[in-house]
Amino acid sequence: MTKTLQHYADLQALVKEWRGQGKTIGFVPTMGALHAGHAALVRLAKKQCDKVIVSIFVNPLQFGENEDYDKYPRQESQDTAFLTTEKVDAVYLPTMEALYPEGYSVTLDVHKWSDILCAITRPRHFDGVATVVSKFLHQIMPDKAYFGEKDYQQLCVVKLLTRELFLPIEIVGVPIVREADGLALSSRNAYLSEPERRIAPSLYETMVMVGSKTKGGRSPIYYLLKEGKRLLLSRGFTKVDYLEVRDSETLDEVTNTVLRPARLLAAAYIGHTRLIDNIEILP
Ligand code: AMP
């Protein structure tokens, strides 16, 4: 039976009951509009933990003023049915009050990586993510929490905050789930019109092409990236926020040759829709 909860006190009671029974707990935070990418996180959590809690909360703190907080897809009953089919143990749909009590005054400020990748165009985004994730982790204190590699910078920030706030929780990164044509699944893909949807897979295609040419160091990376950006624009992308190779752990930029595990990361617009993606690049 899947339980649904809205209040912190109910969540606390359930977690206490499970802890009393010696159960391990896995936690999967989401913003809803669930798809097979979310299901991959849930399934891994179910495999590794006795009990699994999935949260659905569209966190206002991580949206900028001109971003899509108001139009972000909300479909709670459909999502709850999806999670019941996935046999999760509890769905946490916190009220605003359960996370941000009236007059709240504490937020986190992530200094690291605040001037690279998505943080450039979304200045307080990772502060909002770090604030809500740390609230969830403190409320639940799971053994493991699951995050998609789809949001690679977010995964790095969450690992960082867990370490720096001394949370005894393992952060598990889960590989990206894609459509058959390579497009990474995302709740925001719903914003794409049919013609835009046909353009979208060329993001992954271009990344795979660039990635394959980084091997052997025949062309310097900055040159391949310039070519990649040009290709994206010619395929119908309207703006490329970034296309960069960075060290998988430190996120330091790699401009010439890949000597350690790295990621090729991209953010690009088709019309008003911003897509992000990344792939692993090995030396
Ligand atoms: P969201 O609901 O978009 O905030 O995503 C919730 C979690 O699911 C985050 O950890 C995401 O990185 C992860 N996620 C979203 N899309 C995918 C995907 N296509 N593959 C793997 N994980 C994903």
Side-chain angles (χ1 to χ4, degrees), residues 217-229:
R218 278 190 301 274
S219 310
I221 284 172
Y222 67 84
Y223 175 79
L224 297 174
L225 297 174
K226 214 166 118 185
E227 281 299 305
K229 280 182 205 167

Side-chain angles (χ1 to χ4, degrees), residues 65 145 175 183 192 222 245 261 277 280:
E65 245 170 52
L183 176 65
L192 297 169
Y222 67 84
V245 176
D277 201 347
E280 186 176 51

